[in-house]
Amino acid sequence: MKAKHQRLVLVLLVVAAMIGAALLAMSALRDQAAYFYSPADIARLGGVPPGQAMRLGGMVADKSIVHEADGVTIRFTVTDGGATVLVRYKGIVPDLFKENSGVVADGRFGTDGVFVADTILAKHDERYMPPQLAGAEHKTETLAR
């Protein structure tokens, strides 16, 4: 076989290997995409089968956070203005987690229709300011008296 043909076969093998690797990576990441469903999306789908892993995103409804007797389990409602989903989470919530704030929860629906979260991510908007700086943004102090 001539050197020209060997290079062509080598290039074709490399291209095929790269396409195969890309397809394998895409199939592995298909279920791990960072997209989430809003409560309205779930209502439009007519519900989600129990046990199917997914992400739920929306706003924590006002006055919906309830702490259970064990001290580590909370229940709250996620809403997007059109629909609501009841969520149960066992663990320590992030500092930014509060009513009327954004939240993304990883988990699955139980057979009772409640979303059981494994992970809670609190979201903030572009105007976010850490609580330590919220009241001191225009305060300046000088040493001179």
Side-chain angles (χ1 to χ4, degrees):
M1 191 185 305
K2 293 184 180 179
K4 183 177 178 180
H5 289 96
Q6 287 177 342
R7 282 191 300 252
L8 179 62
V9 169
L10 182 61
V11 167
L12 290 175
L13 286 174
V14 168
V15 168
M18 289 177 65
I19 290 172
L23 289 174
L24 185 63
M26 286 173 31
S27 70
L29 294 175
R30 179 181 50 208
D31 294 331
Q32 301 298 324
Y35 300 114
F36 60 84
Y37 293 96
S38 69
D41 293 335
I42 293 167
R44 190 172 36 253
L45 292 171
V48 177
Q52 179 180 338
M54 62 175 293
R55 282 189 171 160
L56 172 69
M59 300 292 285
V60 179
D62 192 30
K63 297 181 171 107
S64 70
I65 298 176
V66 176
H67 296 270
E68 293 187 2
D70 65 1
V72 293
T73 304
I74 62 168
R75 288 182 288 122
F76 59 96
T77 303
V78 174
T79 184
D80 60 1
T84 61
V85 173
L86 184 60
V87 178
R88 185 174 53 240
Y89 175 69
K90 187 173 186 172
I92 299 171
V93 296
D95 290 338
L96 294 175
F97 179 80
K98 60 184 178 186
E99 294 169 343
N100 297 316
S101 67
V103 66
V104 175
D106 286 322
R108 50 193 41 87
F109 277 95
T111 55
D112 57 357
V114 175
F115 187 81
V116 180
D118 300 322
T119 306
I120 298 271
L121 303 171
K123 294 172 42 176
H124 58 79
D125 63 6
E126 65 277 355
R127 298 180 310 249
Y128 171 72
M129 184 173 295
Q132 296 84 0
L133 299 177
E137 63 184 306
H138 295 293
K139 187 195 292 188
T140 58
E141 296 180 15
T142 62
L143 295 175
R145 293 186 185 228

